[in-house]
């Protein structure tokens, strides 16, 4: 709903439209960077979770298992869906970076704007040449 309430007055002027494209690029780059940070943090957190819940690490780190008690593991829980979520996070990062590239190509930073075209009626005739 917020998108419908935008003031579209600046879009009528070419300069306003160029500014909107530049801000769109900046926002897209920020989102791509946030996807990089969040996907990396989730990947690191998942690696730490796997290390912490690995049965051998639990048995060696729990003090009760080192004494008279005998500890064993019943099995390892599957973390395949968590691995897939990290992969999809980085795939989404690639998608945002590709989107940023195409938005960048639309801005005036990629290519300078074309100079205004002259009206052929206003162009002066070339000076006469002597043979």
């Amino acid at each position: 709903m917020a998108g419908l309430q935008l003031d579209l007055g600046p879009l009528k002027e070419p300069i306003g439209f160029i500014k909107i494209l530049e801000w769109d690029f900046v926002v897209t780059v920020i989102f791509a960077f946030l996807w990089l940070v969040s996907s990396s943090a989730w990947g690191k957190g998942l690696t730490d979770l796997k290390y912490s819940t690995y049965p051998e690490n639990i048995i060696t780190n729990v003090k009760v298992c080192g004494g008279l008690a005998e500890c064993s593991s019943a099995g390892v829980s599957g973390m395949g869906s968590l691995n897939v979520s990290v992969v999809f996070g980085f795939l989404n990062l690639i998608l945002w970076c590709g989107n940023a590239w195409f938005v960048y190509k639309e801005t005036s930073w990629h290519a300078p704007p074309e100079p205004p075209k002259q009206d052929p009626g206003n162009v002066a005739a070339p000076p006469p040449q002597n043979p």
Side-chain angles (χ1 to χ4, degrees):
M1 292 302 287
L4 297 176
Q5 297 175 359
L6 288 175
D7 179 26
L8 299 178
L11 288 179
K12 295 176 184 173
E13 301 171 8
I15 261 321
F17 186 68
I18 290 171
K19 289 291 182 192
I20 287 176
L21 288 176
E22 291 170 356
W23 276 107
D24 185 25
F25 174 68
V26 169
V27 169
T28 304
V29 168
I30 289 171
F31 274 114
F33 178 73
L34 290 176
W35 270 107
L36 171 67
V37 171
S38 62
S39 296
S40 300
W42 175 234
K44 173 66 172 136
L46 181 59
T47 302
D48 292 345
L49 179 70
K50 287 179 181 180
Y51 177 78
S52 299
T53 58
Y54 188 66
E56 294 300 320
N57 292 335
I58 294 174
I59 292 171
T60 57
N61 292 331
V62 175
K63 294 180 182 179
V64 175
C65 294
L68 300 173
E70 183 178 323
C71 298
S72 64
S73 109
V76 179
S77 60
M79 297 199 184
S81 60
L82 296 177
N83 292 335
V84 170
S85 69
V86 172
V87 169
F88 276 120
F90 282 106
L91 288 176
N92 201 5
L93 166 69
I94 292 170
L95 183 72
W96 275 96
C97 288
N99 186 23
W101 169 248
F102 285 110
V103 172
Y104 171 72
K105 286 176 55 175
E106 293 294 323
T107 63
S108 62
W109 299 331
H110 178 65
E114 295 180 15
K117 296 180 181 175
Q118 293 182 348
D119 186 15
N122 294 338
V123 177
Q129 295 179 354
N130 294 337

